[in-house]
């Protein structure tokens, strides 16, 4: 018998062993899953082929190597049964022919092959059995461990739940679907003043409070029917002693495995103190801290609710009240006494109207507002305003001071459908302003037409500066005519606003606004310069007419320290001789607040311009001062001239006015001043003024204010002026 092939030597590398191993590897990969690469599989199976060949040729034969190869196949995860079948058959049919010498086979070859086949199958089977047992043991061990883990988790979960249930500061209760309480913790019992044993004998239906939110019981019914998984509400409970506790209640539904409702878990927190704190904070946020009355926030909240709930015919009324002269009380007596006065007034207002269901609120400072409830017309709102004024008017004793207090009230009443919250309060504020402007201790009722006029007036005031910048103002001139021969001696410059939307706007609508806003200084300067330019053009074309242009100076202009420089600059730029410019000032502007003449008058007179007092007779002139002023002309106020009109028929002149005009003319002439009568509208007025020796007149009878080109046309006519308006169109 030849030597056993060496797997590491030339025998192992012979084509027979390698070919067998290659065939074995291909069969293995074809018949089942192989967790190795092709080269790794061939190397593994070549090793097993050599072991089997050595066992087949060994002198001391043993099938143990074949058993080891079978076990090794299982350990290599080559466990597909068809792999075992192929390996056993190939061991008997192919291995001897490929690895044994053909001339010297073992005499018991068949026995040895059969033993190796049996050993391979036995090793494979035992290894597979052992692995299966091992896997089963691991599975069983894992199952035991999982069961232990679950049981331990359940025990831990139960312990945690019991710890939470027992130690929670919020109440926890468990109840069946029928509402019967199964268990409660101590916090739940303490919250309601019962013992846990007492509550375990209670049904949740007996804990419902009559003041619970609407639909709460229906919501609970839907929960236990499985329509909801949880609900959360604020709920009141009666405690055992009859007191009430407000809670935040959260109820969750626990279901069976098939989804059917099983029981409920309720968690309840006492929020009584938090609710009371919220109520206190809300009261503080919605009430005035000084008077305790509702503040403007609560008032507007209530007013908005009234509008939201108002029907199509419902009316709404507001009385907006402001104390008269309250600032003087604070300034003279101090804010402490002022606050005490406000508290007293607030209490009086509340007492006098709150019984009728009206809401009284403090809007801030010394302003109060009354929301009239259920009024049917303006008379009801005015009645509330009169009650409020009467309550305020009673003397108030504050400390050692007895104060007489009054108030002004703006009353607005209208159908709710015709206004809004903002419009209503804007109207009330506007009406309060009207009441205060008319005097103390009175009410005023909102007038839409007056409000529209005020709005239009405000719009004009707002548009004045831009209008001046855009050059929208024009100057018209009214003739001043000699009453002796009818010649035009002068013209008065009167400003007009060529408004892009309203057309030509007269000075009565915007001069007052210009004075209030301070724009009168700029506007007056522009009028002065324009009048000087126009007068210079007339003087250049008609030097023999010596036409004087008369320009009005407002009080604020006259007080302006730069007025003299402004006049001098206007004369210089235009080239107009100073004696052809006349400046008209009111009596109040001339005399000053203490009767002292304006210093600027003398400087203006030194320039050579003429000075006139406009609307003479309506002021409070000190005649002793008048004779010392550098005045050239007095212009009689229109009311005196109107009184001597006498149009014939049933109308006759007022003899008192005739005597006043006569006296004023005589006084002026005694002071060597000329006299111009304003507002001459009829021929009868002109004749009577001429008879009274008045020097000049102006008015519609002699011609209305007209643009400069019409004055030029009149001068070219050479006739001066004719009765009834002369040649100037109206």
């Amino acid at each position: 018998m030849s030597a056993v092939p060496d797997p590491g030597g030339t025998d192992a590398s012979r084509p027979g062993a390698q070919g067998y191993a290659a065939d074995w590897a291909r069969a293995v990969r074809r018949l089942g899953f192989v967790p190795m690469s092709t080269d790794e599989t061939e190397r593994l199976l070549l090793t097993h082929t050599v072991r089997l060949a050595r066992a087949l040729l060994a002198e001391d034969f043993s099938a143990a190597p074949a058993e080891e190869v079978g076990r090794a196949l299982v350990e290599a995860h080559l466990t597909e049964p068809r792999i075992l079948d192929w390996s056993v058959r190939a061991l008997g049919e192919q291995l001897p022919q490929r690895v044994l010498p053909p001339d010297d086979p073992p005499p018991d070859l068949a026995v040895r092959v059969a033993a190796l086949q049996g050993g391979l199958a036995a090793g494979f089977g035992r290894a597979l059995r052992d692995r299966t047992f091992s896997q089963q043991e691991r599975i069983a061990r894992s199952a035991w461990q999982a069961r232990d883990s679950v049981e331990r988790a359940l025990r831990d979960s139960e312990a945690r739940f019991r710890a939470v249930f027992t130690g929670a500061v919020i109440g926890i209760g468990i109840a069946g679907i029928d509402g019967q309480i199964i268990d409660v913790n101590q916090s739940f019992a303490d919250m309601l003043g019962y013992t846990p044993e007492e509550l375990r004998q209670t049904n949740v239906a007996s804990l419902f409070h009559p003041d619970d939110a609407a639909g709460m019981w229906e919501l609970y019914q839907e929960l236990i029917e499985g329509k909801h998984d949880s609900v959360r509400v604020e709920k009141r409970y009666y405690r055992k002693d009859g007191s009430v506790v407000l809670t935040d209640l959260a109820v969750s539904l626990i279901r069976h495995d098939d989804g059917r409702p099983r029981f409920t878990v309720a968690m309840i927190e006492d929020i009584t103190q938090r609710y009371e704190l919220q109520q206190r904070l809300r009261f503080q946020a919605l009430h005035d801290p000084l008077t305790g009355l509702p503040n403007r926030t609560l008032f507007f909240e209530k007013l908005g609710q009234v509008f939201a709930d108002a029907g199509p015919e419902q009316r709404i009324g507001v009385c907006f009240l402001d104390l008269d002269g309250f600032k003087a009380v604070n300034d003279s007596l101090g804010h402490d006494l002022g606050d005490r006065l406000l508290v007293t007034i607030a209490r009086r207002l509340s007492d006098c109207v709150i019984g009728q269901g009206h809401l009284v609120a403090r809007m801030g400072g010394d302003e109060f507002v009354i929301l009239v409830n259920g009024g049917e017309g303006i008379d009801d709102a005015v009645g509330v305003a009169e009650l409020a004024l009467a309550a305020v008017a009673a003397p108030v004793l504050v400390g050692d001071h007895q104060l007489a207090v009054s108030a002004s009230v703006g009353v607005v009443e209208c159908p709710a459908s015709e206004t809004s919250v903002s419009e209503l309060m804007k109207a009330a504020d506007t009406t309060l302003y009207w009441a205060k402007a008319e005097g103390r201790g009175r009410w005023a009722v909102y007038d839409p037409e007056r409000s529209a006029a005020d709005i239009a007036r405000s719009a004009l005031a707002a548009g004045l500066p831009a209008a001046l910048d855009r050059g929208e103002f024009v100057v018209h001139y009214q003739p001043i005519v000699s009453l002796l021969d009818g010649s035009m001696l002068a013209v008065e410059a009167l400003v007009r606003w060529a408004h892009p939307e309203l057309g030509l706007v007269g000075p009565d609508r915007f001069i007052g606004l210009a004075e209030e806003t301070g724009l009168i200084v700029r506007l007056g300067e522009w009028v002065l310069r324009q009048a000087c330019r126009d007068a210079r053009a007339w003087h250049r074309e008609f030097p023999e007419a010596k036409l004087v242009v008369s320009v009005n100076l407002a009080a604020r202009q006259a007080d302006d320290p730069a007025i003299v420089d402004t006049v001098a600059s206007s004369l210089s730029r235009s080239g107009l001789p100073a004696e052809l410019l006349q400046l008209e000032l009111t009596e109040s502007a001339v005399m000053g607040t203490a009767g002292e003449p304006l210093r600027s008058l003398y400087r203006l007179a030194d320039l050579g311009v003429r000075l006139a007092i406009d609307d003479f007779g309506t002021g409070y002139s000190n005649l002793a001062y008048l004779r010392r002023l550098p005045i050239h002309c007095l212009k009689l106020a229109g009311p005196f001239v109107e009184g001597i009109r006498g149009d014939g028929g049933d109308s006759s002149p007022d003899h008192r006015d005739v005597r006043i005009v006569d006296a004023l003319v005589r006084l002026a002439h005694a002071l060597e001043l000329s006299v111009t009568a304003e507002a001459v509208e009829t021929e009868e007025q002109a004749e009577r003024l001429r008879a009274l020796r008045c020097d000049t007149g102006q008015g519609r009878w002699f011609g209305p204010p007209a643009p400069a080109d019409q004055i030029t046309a009149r001068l070219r006519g050479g006739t001066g002026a004719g009765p009834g308006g002369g040649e100037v169109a109206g």
Side-chain angles (χ1 to χ4, degrees):
M1 182 179 299
S2 60
V4 177
D6 183 1
T10 57
D11 290 337
S13 60
R14 287 189 311 174
Q18 291 180 345
Y20 182 86
D23 291 344
W24 196 2
R26 282 192 294 272
V28 165
R29 299 188 66 82
R30 182 180 72 253
L31 297 174
F33 170 74
V34 179
M36 296 177 289
S37 66
T38 301
D39 292 342
E40 290 174 335
T41 304
E42 288 187 7
R43 285 197 297 271
L44 174 66
L45 295 181
L46 178 60
T47 300
H48 295 330
T49 299
V50 172
R51 295 180 67 184
L52 291 174
R54 287 181 175 178
L56 187 63
L57 299 174
E59 293 182 1
D60 296 329
F61 176 77
S62 172
E67 291 184 15
E68 294 175 359
V69 170
R71 182 176 296 277
L73 291 176
V74 173
E75 291 175 353
H77 303 290
L78 303 178
T79 57
E80 172 64 36
R82 289 180 298 171
I83 294 177
L84 175 63
D85 179 63
W86 191 94
S87 301
V88 171
R89 284 190 292 103
L91 176 61
E93 296 174 0
Q94 300 181 27
L95 183 64
Q97 289 82 3
R98 292 195 178 191
V99 300
L100 295 179
D103 55 349
D104 190 17
D108 55 350
L109 177 62
V111 175
R112 291 189 177 197
V113 169
L116 290 178
Q117 286 177 320
L120 178 64
F124 187 94
R126 290 191 190 97
L128 194 60
R129 181 198 59 190
D130 292 346
R131 191 176 74 167
T132 301
F133 287 163
S134 176
Q135 289 175 344
Q136 290 176 343
E137 183 179 358
R138 286 198 300 271
I139 291 172
R141 187 180 302 112
S142 297
W144 295 334
Q145 291 174 348
R147 184 182 61 188
D148 290 343
S149 297
V150 170
E151 291 177 352
R152 184 167 58 254
L154 288 174
R155 289 193 299 272
D156 292 345
S157 176
E158 175 67 19
R160 287 194 297 270
F161 172 76
R162 184 54 55 183
V164 171
F165 185 82
T166 304
V169 295
I170 64 172
I172 302 176
I174 303 173
I177 300 304
D178 59 356
Q180 187 63 37
I181 295 178
I182 298 172
D183 198 6
V184 297
N185 65 355
Q186 191 63 46
S187 295
F188 196 115
D190 293 343
M191 195 179 302
L192 300 185
Y194 294 92
T195 64
E197 290 72 19
E198 290 174 325
L199 287 174
R200 292 188 188 105
Q201 301 174 17
T202 303
N203 193 285
V204 295
S206 65
L207 299 178
F208 278 80
H209 191 280
D211 293 335
D212 282 338
M216 182 177 294
W217 175 251
E218 291 78 3
L219 189 62
Y220 177 76
Q221 288 294 332
E222 292 177 355
L223 176 74
I224 62 178
E225 290 171 4
K227 297 179 180 179
H228 305 289
D229 287 325
S230 63
V231 295
R232 183 170 183 174
V233 292
E234 288 188 358
K235 173 176 168 49
R236 289 177 172 84
Y237 286 99
Y238 280 122
R239 304 182 82 252
K240 187 176 182 180
D241 60 7
S243 60
V244 176
V245 58
L246 182 66
T247 68
D248 182 1
L249 173 65
V251 185
S252 299
L253 178 66
I254 306 301
R255 300 176 183 268
H256 287 283
D257 291 342
D258 59 3
R260 289 179 297 111
R262 187 175 181 183
F263 54 84
T264 61
V265 176
M267 288 180 286
I268 179 171
E269 180 182 5
D270 184 351
I271 61 171
T272 305
Q273 292 184 350
R274 186 175 73 191
Y275 177 79
E276 292 173 351
L277 176 60
Q278 289 174 342
Q279 293 300 104
R280 288 197 299 272
L281 292 176
R282 175 172 171 79
F283 183 89
Q284 293 172 6
L286 299 177
H287 289 77
D288 175 49
L290 177 64
T291 64
L293 291 178
N295 59 14
R296 63 184 298 116
T297 302
L298 180 55
F299 172 78
F300 279 108
E301 183 179 300
K302 295 291 186 182
L303 184 60
Q305 190 61 47
V306 170
F307 271 92
D309 299 339
E313 302 300 326
Q314 182 172 340
R315 303 183 70 86
I316 188 167
V318 165
C319 296
F320 200 4
L321 181 146
D322 181 84
L323 299 183
D324 297 324
F326 179 72
K327 183 177 184 300
V329 175
N330 269 343
D331 292 344
S332 59
L333 302 180
H335 287 273
D336 180 58
L337 288 180
D339 288 347
R340 292 164 63 183
L341 172 61
L342 289 174
V343 171
T344 301
I345 296 299
R347 184 176 63 250
R348 288 184 180 181
L349 290 174
S350 180
D351 291 344
C352 77
V353 301
I354 201 169
Q356 304 175 33
H358 307 315
L359 173 69
V360 182
R362 183 187 180 199
M363 298 297 281
D366 59 338
E367 292 181 343
F368 299 86
V369 64
I370 302 171
L371 178 59
V372 181
N373 179 44
E376 298 182 357
I378 188 63
D379 291 341
D380 291 340
V382 169
V384 172
E386 290 177 340
L387 281 176
L389 288 178
V392 172
V396 180
L397 184 64
V398 180
D400 298 331
H401 303 275
Q402 181 168 311
L403 304 177
V405 184
S406 66
S408 301
V409 182
V411 182
V412 182
E413 197 278 340
C414 64
S417 59
E418 296 180 3
T419 186
S420 64
V421 171
S422 59
E423 291 174 351
L424 181 71
M425 293 311 298
K426 182 179 179 180
D429 187 61
T430 298
T431 312
L432 173 61
Y433 174 80
W434 295 345
K436 294 187 78 68
E438 293 168 1
R440 293 170 173 260
R442 65 181 64 207
W443 50 264
V445 175
Y446 180 69
D447 179 0
E449 293 183 0
R450 181 177 177 181
S451 176
D454 284 351
I455 292 173
R457 188 171 182 269
S458 298
L460 284 178
L464 278 173
L468 184 57
D469 293 337
R470 290 193 297 263
E472 293 179 1
F473 291 96
V474 296
V475 179
H476 286 189
Y477 299 92
Q478 186 169 38
I480 299 175
V481 175
S482 169
L483 291 173
L484 181 61
D485 59 12
S487 61
M488 184 170 61
L489 302 180
V491 290
E492 180 178 357
L494 300 171
V495 66
R496 302 288 189 266
W497 183 357
H499 197 282
E501 298 176 359
L502 303 177
L504 200 62
V505 179
D508 57 315
R509 294 183 60 182
F510 64 84
I511 288 297
L513 299 176
E515 290 177 342
E516 292 173 9
T517 59
L519 190 69
I520 191 65
V521 175
R522 282 183 60 202
L523 180 59
E525 181 177 345
W526 179 85
V527 172
L528 176 63
R529 295 188 187 280
Q530 184 62 42
C532 288
R533 285 193 293 268
D534 290 340
R536 172 55 181 163
W538 293 324
H539 180 63
R540 186 184 300 113
E541 187 173 354
F542 313 103
E544 70 285 352
K546 297 188 182 300
L547 188 68
V548 174
V549 64
S550 188
V551 180
N552 290 281
L553 286 188
R556 186 171 295 194
Q557 283 181 276
D559 288 338
D560 186 0
I563 184 60
V564 177
D565 294 336
T566 299
V567 172
S569 173
S570 299
L571 291 172
S572 174
R573 290 185 179 183
S574 65
L576 179 69
E579 64 270 15
L580 298 184
L581 174 63
Q582 177 173 277
L583 300 178
E584 297 184 18
L585 301 94
T586 61
E587 286 184 80
S588 58
V590 171
M591 302 309 298
T593 56
E596 179 184 354
L598 292 174
R599 304 184 190 91
S600 300
L601 287 180
Y602 299 100
R603 297 176 58 199
L604 289 171
D606 291 341
L607 291 177
V609 302
R610 295 170 55 85
L611 299 175
I613 296 180
D614 194 15
D615 291 331
F616 184 76
T618 60
Y620 46 87
S621 296
N622 185 322
L623 298 180
Y625 279 115
L626 186 60
R627 66 184 179 84
R628 296 202 301 266
L629 294 176
I631 302 299
H632 300 84
C633 175
L634 297 182
K635 299 188 72 173
L636 298 183
F640 297 124
V641 180
E642 176 68 24
I644 66 171
R645 180 168 180 165
D647 296 330
D650 295 335
S651 178
S652 59
D654 189 321
H655 295 292
R656 290 172 298 180
D657 285 333
V658 172
R659 286 193 292 270
I660 291 174
V661 171
D662 181 46
L664 291 176
V665 171
R666 291 176 182 273
L667 172 63
H669 287 167
L671 296 174
E672 299 180 352
L673 303 176
S674 64
V675 181
T676 298
E678 298 182 302
V680 181
E681 305 291 331
T682 67
E683 183 179 6
E684 288 78 4
Q685 284 175 304
E687 290 298 331
R688 289 189 178 96
L689 288 168
R690 186 179 297 113
L692 294 174
R693 301 183 65 188
C694 184
D695 300 297
T696 55
Q698 70 179 100
R700 290 279 172 176
W701 177 250
F702 300 112
D709 57 350
Q710 294 189 27
I711 299 298
T712 301
R714 185 166 179 165
L715 288 170
R716 286 175 181 161
T719 59
E727 302 172 3
V728 180

